[in-house]
Amino acid sequence: MAVFFPRDSVFGDLDRYFNAFASDVFPSATPAASAGTGAAGTVSRVRGGTLGRLDLAETDNSYVIHADLPGVAKENVSVSVGEGNVLTIAGERQQNSETKDSRRHIVERSYGRFERSVRLPEDADVDKVQAKMADGVLELSLPKMPPPENKTRTITIQ
C-alpha cells in the first residue's frame, strides 16, 4: 500500500525549517535579512505552519493586506508594527476538544501558535492602520504617506 504525502506539506515544512535555521545562523545570507526581496521591498518570515498566508496589494493611495486565518478567533489574533516597519501578525488556532479524544484517520489541519512578519514599504503610514476580520480573513489597510517635500534651498556663496 502506498502512502501519499502532499508535496506542499512535506517540502513546504522542510523549506520553512531550513529557512528559519539559516536565518538564525547566516542572517545576511537569507532573504529574511535582506531588504529588497519580494514585491515592494518586503521581507517575510513565517513561524508556526501554514496559517497566516497573506497577500499585499498596492492601490494609488494605500496598501492592503489580506491574511488567511481560517478557524482563528479574532480574540486570538494580534497585529503589531515594530522597528524597521515590520508588521507582525500573531495568534493561535485552538484545537477543538471534541477532536482530541476521537480516532482520526487523516489529520491535515494545523493547530497552535503562528507568527507572520512582513516589512512594509517605507511610505506606509503605520500610525493609521485599520484592521478588520471577517470569515477567517484579516484585512489591514495602510494609507500611503504623501511624498516628502523637496526642501532644497539655494545657498549664497560669499
Side-chain angles (χ1 to χ4, degrees), residues 25-124:
V25 177
F26 309 106
S28 62
T30 60
S34 308
T37 59
T42 60
V43 171
S44 181
R45 184 165 195 165
V46 180
R47 290 188 180 145
T50 59
L51 289 172
R53 303 249 174 148
L54 57 86
D55 295 334
L56 171 60
E58 179 179 3
T59 67
D60 289 340
N61 54 7
S62 68
Y63 296 98
V64 180
I65 297 174
H66 290 101
D68 287 341
L69 304 174
V72 180
K74 178 171 65 171
E75 297 77 27
N76 293 337
V77 177
S78 69
V79 180
S80 61
V81 179
E83 190 174 329
N85 259 13
V86 176
L87 174 89
T88 300
I89 301 169
E92 183 172 8
R93 182 174 176 185
Q94 305 284 330
Q95 186 173 9
N96 297 339
S97 60
E98 62 197 41
T99 60
K100 285 182 182 178
D101 299 328
S102 63
R103 273 188 4 193
R104 294 179 278 169
H105 295 273
I106 297 175
V107 179
E108 294 180 341
R109 300 185 303 158
S110 59
Y111 298 96
R113 296 205 43 79
F114 65 91
E115 183 177 294
R116 179 67 195 266
S117 297
V118 63
R119 180 168 297 152
L120 298 170
E122 290 184 19
D123 63 341

